[in-house]
């Protein structure tokens, strides 16, 4: 299901997702319609904007939170132009952090990247735009100040759900260097070590919610 008040973008997303094999059961343009349509169609996943009618503030995000409280298994991918800090961390920790994501529209440079992110969220994964992480981390300046610029960069890639090998390829460094950076990050932020990618993302979210 897609919730987006811009008709052209909404229809474009419908066509895009159907082209990649997804079935879009409904496309709506406001938060009340989103909640009604989820109750009617019971979709596996929702893609929603943050600012929607009637108030054009954070209606879409707050509706997503209410839906996750009712259905923790409902996958939700927020696709927005900005980071709504008040509720973003709450959404990302809902349902134990599984099946949720937050991406910024302007930073999606590839169609397959977006579809892959939706597939991961629908499968119970967690996907967070590095810029979302950076803005949320600004609320905890002192701990963040412990990290080097490279460690902050690695932290952002961890939040995307990247593997060590993927991070190494992105930064053009060795797997061993990535492992060392991650160990340093977790130590500096007082986070427990985590073996798999999903638990690493959950550790980041645990840090964000303080």
């Amino acid at each position: 299901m897609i919730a987006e008040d811009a008709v052209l973008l909404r229809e474009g997303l419908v066509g895009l997702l159907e082209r990649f094999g997804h079935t879009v059961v409904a496309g709506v343009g406001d938060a009340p319609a989103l909640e009604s349509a989820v109750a009617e169609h019971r979709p596996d996943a929702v893609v929603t904007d943050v600012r929607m009618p009637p108030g054009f503030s954070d209606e879409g995000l707050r509706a997503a939170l209410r839906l996750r409280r009712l259905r923790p298994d409902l996958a939700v991918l927020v696709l927005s132009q900005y980071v709504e800090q008040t509720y973003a961390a709450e959404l990302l920790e809902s349902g134990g952090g599984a099946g949720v994501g937050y991406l910024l529209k302007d930073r999606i440079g590839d169609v397959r990247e977006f579809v892959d992110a939706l597939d991961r969220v629908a499968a119970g994964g967690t996907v967070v735009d590095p810029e979302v992480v950076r803005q949320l981390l600004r609320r905890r300046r002192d701990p963040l100040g412990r990290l080097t610029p490279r460690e902050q960069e690695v932290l952002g890639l961890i939040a995307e759900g990247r593997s060590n090998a993927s991070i190494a390829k992105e930064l053009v460094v060795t797997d061993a260097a990535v492992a060392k950076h991650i160990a340093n990050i977790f130590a500096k932020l007082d986070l427990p070590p985590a073996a798999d990618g999903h638990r690493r993302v959950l550790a980041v979210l645990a840090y964000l919610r303080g």
Side-chain angles (χ1 to χ4, degrees):
M1 176 176 299
I2 296 172
E4 166 63 58
D5 63 289
V7 177
L8 290 179
L9 178 55
R10 184 171 71 240
E11 293 303 313
L13 286 171
V14 170
L16 170 67
L17 293 178
E18 290 181 340
R19 180 158 58 90
F20 278 84
H22 291 275
T23 300
V24 180
V25 295
V28 299
D30 59 66
L34 166 60
E35 295 185 69
S36 297
V38 167
E40 178 183 353
H41 297 284
R42 297 195 62 80
D44 297 318
V46 168
V47 178
T48 183
D49 195 0
V50 170
R51 290 181 172 174
M52 298 177 66
F56 291 98
S57 57
D58 52 16
E59 286 85 352
L61 187 51
R62 286 190 284 117
L65 274 169
R66 288 191 292 271
L67 290 169
R68 290 274 287 182
R69 292 188 191 109
L70 293 171
R71 281 187 56 192
D73 63 327
L74 176 65
V76 172
L77 176 60
V78 173
L79 185 61
S80 182
Q81 290 182 327
Y82 79 113
V83 181
E84 210 304 314
Q85 295 192 15
T86 304
Y87 296 105
E90 186 177 350
L91 175 71
L92 293 173
E93 72 178 63
S94 66
V100 67
Y102 200 127
L103 298 178
L104 298 181
K105 294 176 181 177
D106 293 343
R107 290 170 52 83
I108 297 176
D110 183 81
V111 168
R112 291 186 181 275
E113 176 186 332
F114 166 67
V115 175
D116 177 64
L118 177 58
D119 288 341
R120 280 187 281 160
V121 168
T126 311
V127 178
V128 188
D129 192 297
E131 181 59 27
V132 174
V133 174
R134 277 191 286 271
Q135 292 197 33
L136 293 176
L137 283 172
R138 290 192 190 117
R139 299 161 66 180
R140 295 176 55 105
R141 292 178 181 274
D142 291 342
L144 181 60
R146 302 174 193 167
L147 304 184
T148 66
R150 175 63 90 183
E151 289 166 353
Q152 292 181 37
E153 193 172 8
V154 171
L155 179 62
L157 293 170
I158 291 173
E160 287 187 301
R162 300 284 197 96
S163 65
N164 284 21
S166 175
I167 294 172
K169 182 178 180 181
E170 176 76 18
L171 301 180
V172 196
V173 296
T174 65
D175 287 0
V178 171
K180 184 176 179 180
H181 285 313
I182 292 173
N184 289 340
I185 290 167
F186 279 36
K188 290 178 180 180
L189 301 184
D190 299 319
L191 294 173
D196 62 66
H198 182 59
R199 284 191 291 160
R200 296 196 316 183
V201 175
L202 294 184
V204 173
L205 299 179
Y207 171 71
L208 291 177
R209 63 179 179 261

